[in-house]
Amino acid sequence: MFRIAGHTMGTPEYTVTEAIELFAKIGADGAEIVVQDNYRSGLPCDCDRETLQAVKDCAAKSGIKIVCLTPYNSRFNSLDEATRLEEIKGIEKVIDYCEFLGADRIRIYGGNLSTGENDLLAEKWAKLVESMKYLGGKAKAKGVTLVVENHFNTMTLTAQQSRDLMLDVDCEAVRILYDQANLTFTGGEDYMKAIELQSGLIGHMHVKDLVFHEGNTAFVASDVSHPDESERNVYTRIVGEGIIPWPEILQEVRKHGYEDWLSLEYERRWHPDDIPDASIGMKKSVEYLRGII
């Protein structure tokens, strides 16, 4: 059965506990929580037990399941070994946070690869596979799954690349985070092809919506987390008010065996001028999803 999670990317004006309370109020079932320093609606990278306990208690009181933690480490494919191992160390901490909070998945970037970067790709891919194999073993021991996102400026930009990584890593605790909106604005596969390619490998889904800028300009980004305002080729929208065909997508992923969490990656953190406060826009998104699932 599909269940809906709010994502704290969508709640930059709220603390984590305030966001959890909001998710309960607007009818969500769970929460995906950012792990990043200096973000009001996120857990710090070095998170103390007191903070984790407060979040855990708030979720229990609110009837919200903490589903996924979302750190921003990305250089798992670095050819500088010290850098790669430092990124791995960061994820090992998040695996422990998951165990404490009862979360069963971690959003992972498929390495870090700038637009146009094309040198030593085989070596970088090998390092990414090595990192995911190692972290997959660590995650599996704690009942956690690493979900690698279809995402720009990574080595899993497309559904095909995401599938290739899963086959090379070959670990049941490493799966794909399917994000059709990302595939759409970066020029990747349409939903039918993306779901077919990733069938049986999807471990999590992000749900968001968008419309293209007039002229449908090509996508570029200088950062792995989000494009600069000058680089954007789309505007973000409340789910159901853009061009992503969510009724058809959900019907298709269900046919291919995925009927699990749908996380509302409401991008107010990055694009606050596009969409209203989560109490309005995320609420409408929850209501829209309830209407189609």
Side-chain angles (χ1 to χ4, degrees):
M1 180 174 87
F2 286 124
R3 291 179 288 174
I4 301 169
H7 194 312
T8 67
M9 180 189 288
T11 52
E13 302 89 351
Y14 299 73
T15 66
V16 173
T17 53
E18 289 169 346
I20 288 170
E21 290 167 350
L22 175 66
F23 297 159
K25 184 177 180 180
I26 65 176
D29 308 298
E32 180 169 343
I33 301 174
V34 168
V35 181
Q36 189 179 37
D37 292 334
N38 304 313
Y39 178 52
R40 178 177 174 84
S41 205
L43 298 171
C45 296
D46 291 310
C47 196
D48 58 67
R49 185 182 178 91
E50 182 180 0
T51 300
L52 291 171
Q53 189 66 57
V55 169
K56 183 176 183 177
D57 291 346
C58 178
K61 182 179 179 180
S62 302
I64 289 291
K65 162 72 175 172
I66 300 175
V67 180
C68 184
L69 299 184
T70 295
Y72 283 76
N73 310 69
S74 64
R75 298 190 181 277
F76 310 109
N77 60 337
S78 178
L79 301 183
D80 179 83
E81 194 67 358
T83 297
R84 188 179 73 88
L85 293 177
E86 188 64 22
E87 295 291 75
I88 286 173
K89 182 180 176 182
I91 299 301
E92 288 180 303
K93 290 180 183 179
V94 180
I95 291 171
D96 289 339
Y97 301 161
C98 280
E99 184 181 32
F100 185 89
L101 294 171
D104 64 7
R105 60 200 75 177
I106 298 172
R107 190 291 302 275
I108 295 286
Y109 283 138
N112 191 302
L113 194 73
S114 300
T115 303
E117 183 179 344
N118 56 19
D119 62 310
L120 301 173
L121 294 182
E123 291 88 344
K124 291 171 184 175
W125 182 265
K127 287 298 181 183
L128 177 60
V129 171
E130 181 182 347
S131 297
M132 293 302 104
K133 281 180 176 287
Y134 172 81
L135 284 170
K138 292 289 185 178
K140 182 179 178 180
K142 298 292 182 72
V144 174
T145 300
L146 308 179
V147 287
V148 185
E149 188 171 6
N150 308 136
H151 205 281
F152 53 88
N153 283 8
T154 74
M155 300 193 87
T156 53
L157 171 67
T158 67
Q160 181 65 62
Q161 291 169 339
S162 300
R163 174 184 172 83
D164 291 345
L165 181 64
M166 295 303 106
L167 296 179
D168 284 357
V169 172
D170 190 24
C171 175
E172 64 186 26
V174 182
R175 286 292 178 263
I176 294 170
L177 195 168
Y178 171 39
D179 191 319
Q180 185 58 49
N182 283 353
L183 293 174
T184 298
F185 71 74
T186 58
E189 296 92 346
D190 63 30
Y191 78 88
M192 290 291 288
K193 185 64 174 177
I195 293 169
E196 178 187 0
L197 283 168
Q198 299 175 126
S199 181
L201 300 171
I202 297 172
H204 194 52
M205 278 184 67
H206 278 170
V207 176
K208 54 181 180 275
D209 218 331
L210 57 87
V211 294
F212 279 96
H213 286 192
E214 186 176 351
N216 191 12
T217 54
F219 174 79
V220 294
S222 53
D223 186 77
V224 71
S225 64
H226 66 288
D228 181 80
E229 197 64 28
S230 65
E231 299 170 327
R232 298 175 64 202
N233 64 339
V234 296
Y235 299 107
T236 191
R237 289 290 182 261
I238 293 168
V239 178
E241 297 183 5
I243 65 167
I244 306 298
W246 284 112
E248 292 84 357
I249 290 169
L250 296 185
Q251 182 179 19
E252 192 66 18
V253 293
R254 181 183 276 142
K255 287 181 184 177
H256 285 260
Y258 185 87
E259 196 171 0
D260 199 358
W261 286 97
L262 306 172
S263 182
L264 283 167
E265 195 185 25
Y266 190 72
E267 295 188 313
R268 185 165 168 82
R269 179 185 186 184
W270 305 129
H271 311 302
D273 293 337
D274 287 5
I275 45 178
D277 185 272
S279 62
I280 300 169
M282 196 179 287
K283 181 176 186 292
K284 287 183 177 180
S285 298
V286 170
E287 290 168 349
Y288 173 79
L289 286 178
R290 293 282 181 219
I292 64 174
I293 64 176

